[in-house]
Amino acid sequence: MRRPITFPTNLRSRLAGAVGVLVLGATMLAGPLAVDVAEHDLRAVLGAQQYASLSGAAAFLDDLLEARLRQMAALAAAMPVEARHDPRRLQAWLANRTADVGDEFVNIAAFARNGELVASGTSMPTAQPLTATGRPYFEETLLRGRGIVSDPFQSRLSGANMVLVTAPVFDDHGEIVYVLTGRIDLQHARFLRQVDALRPGSTGYLFLMSADGTLIDSPAKERQTAPPADQPGLARALHGFEGWLIGGDRAGPAIVTYKRLATTGWILGARYPEEEAFAPLARVRRTVLVVAGILALVAGLLAWWLVRRGLRPLAELRRNVAAVRHEGVDSAVLALARNDEVGELGRAFHDLVQARGRAAARMRAIADNVPAVIAYVDRDERFEFTNAGFDRMIGSAPDVFIGRTVREALGEAGYARLEPLIRAALRGEHGHVEDVRSDDAKRHQMIDTIPDIDADGRIVGFFVMAMDISERKEAELAQAASEQRLRLIADNLPVLICYIDRNHRLGFGNATFQAWLGLEPVRLPGMHLQDVLGKPAYDAARPRLKQAFEGVGATFEMPLQAQGRHRILEWTFVPDVQAQGRVNVAVAGVYALAHDMTRVKEAESRLVQMARFDSLTGIANRRLFGELLGQALERVRRQRQVMGLAYLDIDHFKAINDTWGHGVGDEVLKEFAQRLAACVRVTDTPARLAGDEFVVLLEDVKGVDEAERIGAKIVEAIRKPIATGAGLLDVTASVGIALVHGMDGPLPTQDEVLGWADTALYAAKHGGRNRCVVRVAEEAAGVSMK
């Protein structure tokens, strides 16, 4: 009977065999990997060379197309003047030119600016007029004003694929009168014939396509191994890729290269089959595999022998360890006298055995001095270990419980309290409970059970730990009462109160958050400040919050829109500074308080409104006008603009007051101000100085004509009757406008500018009222204008 094959079970034999196999495999892989690296590097070199060669071919084709463009431009420039005006002469001239350039162009034609065919170097169409209107090459030539090379298209007359080279013909005034087109038949053009010497290898080939993938030129059918439309990476090339890549098609893997022509955007491609490119490397690969196999076999056998010899001391150590474990031999046999790694390992085993005994003694001392009951119970619920805490908490010696079950040691009542925890531990779950001791209603215990799971996932027992937590419970109850009182106070203050941690999340918030923001306080803990206030308010508060986390308190105002109400809140950030050690301090969080300042700010706004705006008319008063006039004069000098100041008053306003009373006069003043504000530009500022005296600050006036139009518009707007309590009143106004030009030197004072405008107003009144007079400020001041 044939004996079965057996494998060695000791570490030395297994390790020697494994090392031998690894060395054998590594040596076998090294040769092919080196060839693969060489192939990768060769592929990169060939790709770069092929792309450089293709770039040269593309540059040659660009020069060829540029020559065709220059040739067409020269024909357009050489067109006789008489041929431009006589279609028959133009026909004869084009026939001669077509015969002269027959190798370059199949035909040369001339299209009028409206797109109609005027003349052709070959026969003219007879069926119907031929037009180029709408053709991209024609429209683009007219738009650019220079010649182009068109994309390939199919001729409507011959059905042949072709491209056109165009050139505009200009008249004496520089206008395009004709567009010359030279037709190149793609079937006979053979663009690639002139760069065929640059094709890769003997089986590689070049191909030429338009920017949209239309084939322009390709090798002869007998030399073409794959149509260009199937070339790898073609979709990338159509989207702008230039360079080389490795790809496979039905003809096999190849190095494919793409390069765009700068003149037309056409794509020049080259395909170099890998079978030809890497033929020499394939022969090298076969030789390398044979040599690598021989070397691998020798290296593997040598490695196997060296490992077995080197691991002999480890086998000796193994025998000594087994003797200590199973035969009771003293651990001193493990302290080998060798100075190598095996000797160090033996001495380490010896030290570990000694340290284990000392560690067990220390763990017993620690367990006995921990202020808790600690025990280990096996799967049969019998105590295997107990510490001295049993004596302190229960009043029984620890050794009394060893070997007894939990039920026997603690009685039925004690077992009933622990039974849910025991069942959880035996299921592999952590058990935890805090309850009141049955023998003392004021004492609290915390009991934990932790399952003991071996390497195979089996539960072999569990640990029990019990602690007296009566003092902690009393402290927690006292703290809860204190927190309840503080919460009651905070919830009844008309102030937003919250705590913000270093991650800008809320730790708590009072009940005012629900009244003002609609957020329940129970939802606030953990919410980000941005979610509470909104992004605009959060972004406004972040710099001050950063300052508070640096330990500096901050107070600032911030608007807040919530629940359909606009509030202005005054925030105060107070850093929660906590000591770290004796010297260092850190800000753990920030206490934030927000007071509603909306009513105060509204009152301040009303006071500002009363101080800067006229109470009767609602437009700017003399004080605000003075501030704006000073700023406008400074802008005039800085920006070299022209500013206008219109001075107005109501003609015979005193008569209105005397006749109808001041109530009617006030109605006239208010309507006058409203019309004045409505008829000036949005950049202009009307104001009331006193009584019926009004002014308008005119920004960036273009000159006297614009100022007169503005003044006339004001006069016309006031002429319309004004409805009052006394009926419709006819009211007119006189307007004087002074223009101030920007210039170097000192600015005129406000009184000077008002004086110049008042002088213009006086001229308007002296001229009969109900009119406008414009004066340039320099003329009014006696300065001549250039």
Side-chain angles (χ1 to χ4, degrees):
M1 182 176 178
R2 187 176 180 181
R3 297 177 62 184
I5 298 175
T6 60
F7 294 95
T9 58
N10 61 73
L11 176 62
R12 184 174 64 161
S13 299
R14 291 200 305 270
L15 189 57
V19 170
V21 172
L22 288 176
V23 171
L24 178 64
T27 308
M28 286 292 294
L29 289 175
L33 285 177
V35 177
D36 289 341
V37 171
E39 181 178 334
H40 179 271
D41 294 341
L42 180 60
R43 183 180 286 112
V45 171
L46 291 176
Q49 290 177 348
Q50 184 171 317
Y51 181 68
S53 178
L54 194 69
S55 298
F60 178 84
L61 292 179
D62 277 325
D63 293 340
L64 179 63
L65 293 173
E66 288 286 352
R68 299 286 177 90
L69 285 170
R70 290 194 297 271
Q71 187 175 9
M72 286 299 299
L75 285 175
M79 181 183 288
V81 176
E82 60 273 12
R84 299 179 187 174
H85 306 290
D86 188 347
R88 288 179 300 175
R89 293 186 178 182
L90 180 57
Q91 176 70 34
W93 183 78
L94 286 180
N96 292 332
R97 301 288 80 76
T98 301
D100 294 340
V101 297
D103 292 339
E104 287 82 7
F105 301 106
V106 177
N107 180 37
I108 300 176
F111 291 89
R113 186 177 179 86
N114 60 4
E116 294 183 0
L117 178 65
V118 178
S120 174
T122 60
S123 59
M124 293 282 288
T126 58
Q128 59 182 355
L130 184 61
T131 177
T133 302
R135 287 287 191 171
Y137 64 84
F138 180 77
E139 300 296 341
E140 190 172 353
T141 303
L142 291 179
L143 179 64
R144 294 188 179 186
R146 60 180 176 83
I148 66 166
V149 179
S150 74
D151 288 332
F153 65 94
Q154 189 177 40
S155 172
R156 288 180 287 185
L157 295 178
S158 64
N161 290 329
M162 64 180 188
V163 295
L164 292 180
V165 180
T166 68
V169 180
F170 299 92
D171 60 12
D172 296 337
H173 302 290
E175 298 291 333
I176 298 176
V177 293
Y178 294 113
V179 174
L180 287 185
T181 62
R183 180 162 66 94
I184 301 174
D185 193 335
L186 295 180
Q187 185 176 359
H188 304 95
R190 301 295 293 163
F191 284 100
L192 298 180
R193 181 173 52 196
Q194 303 180 56
V195 293
D196 188 62
L198 297 177
R199 62 186 176 86
S202 60
T203 61
Y205 60 88
L206 303 176
F207 55 91
L208 184 64
M209 296 178 294
S210 66
D212 61 358
T214 303
L215 184 63
I216 297 174
D217 199 358
S218 63
K221 295 295 183 181
E222 62 272 10
R223 292 166 52 197
Q224 182 175 337
T225 58
D230 294 341
Q231 294 299 338
L234 180 59
R236 293 178 57 193
L238 294 176
H239 287 84
F241 168 75
E242 289 186 332
W244 66 275
L245 51 83
I246 300 297
D249 52 23
R250 62 188 182 186
I255 303 175
V256 185
T257 314
Y258 296 99
K259 176 67 178 179
R260 281 187 178 267
L261 273 61
T263 307
T264 60
W266 294 350
I267 301 171
L268 179 62
R271 186 181 189 279
Y272 191 8
E274 284 195 358
E275 182 179 0
E276 178 186 354
F278 300 118
L281 198 61
R283 293 191 293 272
V284 174
R285 184 187 299 273
R286 290 191 292 271
T287 303
V288 168
L289 286 175
V290 173
V291 175
I294 297 173
L295 292 176
L297 181 59
V298 174
L301 292 174
L302 181 60
W304 176 81
W305 181 79
L306 290 175
V307 170
R308 282 188 59 84
R309 182 178 178 84
L311 291 180
R312 285 179 183 174
L314 188 60
E316 181 183 356
L317 177 61
R318 177 192 178 190
R319 290 192 297 270
N320 292 339
V321 170
V324 172
R325 289 182 61 193
H326 305 297
E327 300 174 12
V329 176
D330 188 85
S331 62
V333 299
L334 298 176
L336 301 179
R338 300 177 59 89
N339 293 324
D340 56 8
E341 291 84 352
V342 177
E344 292 182 4
L345 185 61
R347 289 189 290 274
F349 283 159
H350 174 266
D351 294 341
L352 285 175
V353 172
Q354 297 295 319
R356 181 181 179 183
R358 294 193 296 270
R362 284 196 296 270
M363 291 303 298
R364 165 59 72 175
I366 293 172
D368 286 343
N369 288 278
V370 169
V373 170
I374 300 176
Y376 181 82
V377 181
D378 65 15
R379 186 165 183 81
D380 296 328
E381 300 182 17
R382 294 184 180 276
F383 285 101
E384 290 188 1
F385 171 85
T386 55
N387 73 334
F390 277 79
D391 188 14
R392 293 190 296 269
M393 186 174 294
I394 302 177
S396 299
D399 295 341
V400 173
F401 296 97
I402 300 299
R404 300 173 64 185
T405 64
V406 178
R407 190 188 301 272
E408 294 171 347
L410 302 181
E412 291 296 333
Y415 182 81
R417 293 174 56 208
L418 292 180
E419 186 174 11
L421 299 180
I422 294 173
R423 298 288 170 259
L426 294 178
R427 289 194 305 269
E429 301 172 0
H430 187 128
H432 176 83
V433 68
E434 295 183 11
D435 66 352
V436 180
R437 284 178 56 174
S438 58
D439 57 346
D440 189 349
K442 296 182 179 181
R443 307 298 294 176
H444 290 77
Q445 285 182 327
M446 179 177 70
I447 304 174
D448 288 270
T449 57
I450 303 96
D452 180 18
I453 304 174
D454 65 10
D456 296 328
R458 295 176 301 178
I459 301 170
V460 295
F462 57 91
F463 296 92
V464 180
M465 185 173 69
M467 297 180 64
D468 190 329
I469 58 171
S470 303
E471 294 182 0
R472 195 196 77 186
K473 279 291 185 180
E474 292 176 359
E476 288 177 354
L477 292 174
Q479 182 179 359
S482 177
E483 289 179 355
Q484 180 66 25
R485 289 191 295 270
L486 292 175
R487 168 64 72 175
L488 183 63
I489 295 172
D491 286 345
N492 287 277
L493 288 175
V495 178
L496 290 179
I497 303 174
C498 64
Y499 184 82
I500 306 169
D501 65 18
R502 299 194 66 87
N503 295 321
H504 295 187
R505 295 186 180 276
L506 270 63
F508 74 88
N510 67 341
T512 310
F513 275 88
Q514 181 159 8
W516 290 7
L517 305 182
L519 296 174
E520 298 178 6
V522 294
R523 293 174 48 202
L524 293 176
M527 286 186 66
H528 197 277
L529 188 59
Q530 177 174 315
D531 299 330
V532 175
L533 302 180
K535 190 175 187 307
Y538 172 68
D539 290 341
R542 284 179 64 183
R544 304 303 179 90
L545 196 58
K546 180 177 181 295
Q547 175 183 336
F549 275 108
E550 291 173 353
V552 181
T555 300
F556 63 99
E557 294 179 356
M558 181 180 69
L560 184 66
Q561 186 75 26
Q563 292 191 304
R565 180 174 177 180
H566 179 77
R567 298 177 185 269
I568 299 177
L569 303 180
E570 181 182 74
W571 288 85
T572 300
F573 287 161
V574 180
D576 179 16
V577 180
Q578 297 183 2
Q580 292 184 344
R582 297 183 178 180
V583 179
N584 296 332
V585 295
V587 178
V590 171
Y591 293 98
L593 298 90
H595 300 266
D596 191 347
M597 302 293 290
T598 307
R599 293 184 180 180
V600 175
K601 291 300 177 181
E602 289 175 351
E604 291 179 356
S605 179
R606 287 194 296 270
L607 291 175
V608 171
Q609 181 78 10
M610 294 171 61
R612 296 168 64 86
F613 292 89
D614 183 60
S615 59
L616 177 63
T617 62
I619 62 176
N621 60 12
R622 178 184 289 273
R623 179 179 178 182
L624 178 57
F625 168 73
E627 296 175 3
L628 297 177
L629 178 58
Q631 298 170 5
L633 288 172
E634 183 60 36
R635 283 195 298 273
V636 164
R637 179 174 64 181
R638 185 174 62 253
Q639 301 175 3
R640 294 294 193 271
Q641 295 178 348
V642 179
M643 183 202 78
L645 180 63
Y647 208 131
L648 313 87
D649 71 0
I650 301 174
D651 296 332
H652 306 296
F653 181 70
K654 185 175 183 303
I656 294 175
N657 277 338
D658 293 344
T659 304
W660 306 106
H662 288 281
V664 173
D666 288 347
E667 294 181 30
V668 171
L669 290 174
K670 287 191 287 186
E671 179 63 22
F672 181 88
Q674 292 176 5
R675 294 185 182 182
L676 184 61
C679 68
V680 298
R681 301 171 303 176
V682 294
T683 58
D684 301 333
T685 304
R688 180 188 179 201
L689 298 184
D692 65 329
E693 295 181 1
F694 292 82
V695 290
V696 180
L697 185 59
L698 306 173
E699 299 273 2
D700 192 16
V701 181
K702 303 305 180 185
V704 174
D705 292 341
E706 185 177 13
E708 289 178 345
R709 286 195 299 272
I710 295 172
K713 185 178 180 182
I714 295 173
V715 171
E716 182 62 28
I718 303 303
R719 284 199 188 106
K720 298 176 183 179
I722 296 176
T724 68
L728 293 175
L729 297 181
D730 293 327
V731 177
T732 61
S734 298
V735 182
I737 300 177
L739 298 181
V740 180
H741 288 72
M743 63 181 66
D744 296 328
L747 286 171
T749 65
Q750 296 186 22
D751 291 338
E752 288 175 337
V753 177
L754 283 169
W756 297 338
D758 188 42
T759 300
L761 174 62
Y762 178 77
K765 287 185 172 293
H766 187 70
R769 291 185 171 86
N770 192 22
R771 67 186 64 222
C772 173
V773 173
V774 178
R775 292 286 186 269
V776 178
E778 289 80 352
E779 294 176 351
V783 180
S784 63
M785 295 293 295
K786 293 183 179 181

